[in-house]
Amino acid sequence: MAQSLSSVFLHIVFSTKDRFPFLGDVAVQSKVHSYLAGIARERGCPPVLVGGVADHVHLLVQMGRTVSQAELVKELKRSSTVWVRQQFPELAKFSWQAGYGVFSVSVSNLESVRAYIARQEGHHARVGFQEEFRSFLKKHRLEFDERFVWD
């Protein structure tokens, strides 16, 4: 085959360090989400949607063929941390948690994951981040040690 084609969608989730609500201001949150979308786009991973709440983000992206999951997440977190600290001096201590979750999404589930990300505010009025993240790990059959998931 002369042409290389790929259709891989990922749901990426990571929180702020210690789940501190750095993104509590809706205007800041919106700008951070837009910035993350731009980073993904620059890395050849077109974003479907970026959303989240005060203490974590969700990104639904179509993975590019030339970047690894780890490289993408590393750049999302690194670049956005530098940018947030420069743009918002009051957030000088801003940082993301060390870890992250990446979950595969089938084309047939894209709309349901997009809708899930879009309704994060309402969802987190009932469910905390840790409970949500545990449910992703269980749903995707990932074994984990509770001692090392949170930081």
Side-chain angles (χ1 to χ4, degrees):
M1 177 178 242
Q3 190 175 20
S4 299
L5 304 169
S6 175
S7 177
V8 176
F9 291 88
L10 298 178
H11 180 183
I12 302 168
V13 182
F14 50 88
S15 82
T16 57
K17 178 78 172 165
D18 298 321
R19 276 138 327 275
F20 188 84
F22 285 110
L23 306 177
D25 180 308
V26 177
V28 171
Q29 187 181 108
S30 177
K31 289 176 182 176
V32 171
H33 293 174
S34 293
Y35 191 79
L36 288 166
I39 295 167
R41 197 174 296 106
E42 286 175 6
R43 294 289 179 260
C45 300
V48 175
L49 185 63
V50 178
V53 292
D55 67 351
H56 70 280
V57 295
H58 293 257
L59 296 93
L60 179 58
V61 301
Q62 182 173 11
M63 279 301 290
R65 294 179 306 100
T66 61
V67 64
S68 73
Q69 295 173 23
E71 290 169 338
L72 175 62
V73 174
K74 179 180 179 181
E75 189 58 23
L76 287 165
K77 290 163 72 173
R78 187 197 66 75
S79 291
S80 63
T81 297
V82 170
W83 182 83
V84 166
R85 290 176 182 174
Q86 289 173 344
Q87 295 296 309
F88 307 101
E90 69 277 18
L91 299 179
K93 294 184 178 184
F94 176 85
S95 64
W96 298 110
Q97 72 176 109
Y100 59 89
V102 177
F103 308 98
S104 60
V105 178
S106 66
V107 172
S108 62
N109 270 338
L110 279 178
E111 184 53 34
S112 65
V113 174
R114 193 205 61 72
Y116 176 82
I117 293 171
R119 65 176 185 270
Q120 281 292 291
E121 284 293 333
H123 173 71
H124 285 291
R126 301 179 315 277
V127 178
F129 173 72
Q130 290 179 328
E131 183 180 349
E132 174 187 55
F133 198 72
R134 281 185 199 101
S135 73
F136 285 135
L137 296 173
K138 290 174 185 172
K139 177 180 178 181
H140 290 272
R141 299 180 183 165
L142 288 170
E143 292 185 23
F144 62 98
D145 186 329
E146 191 78 29
R147 297 173 298 167
F148 304 111
V149 175
W150 318 113
D151 68 350

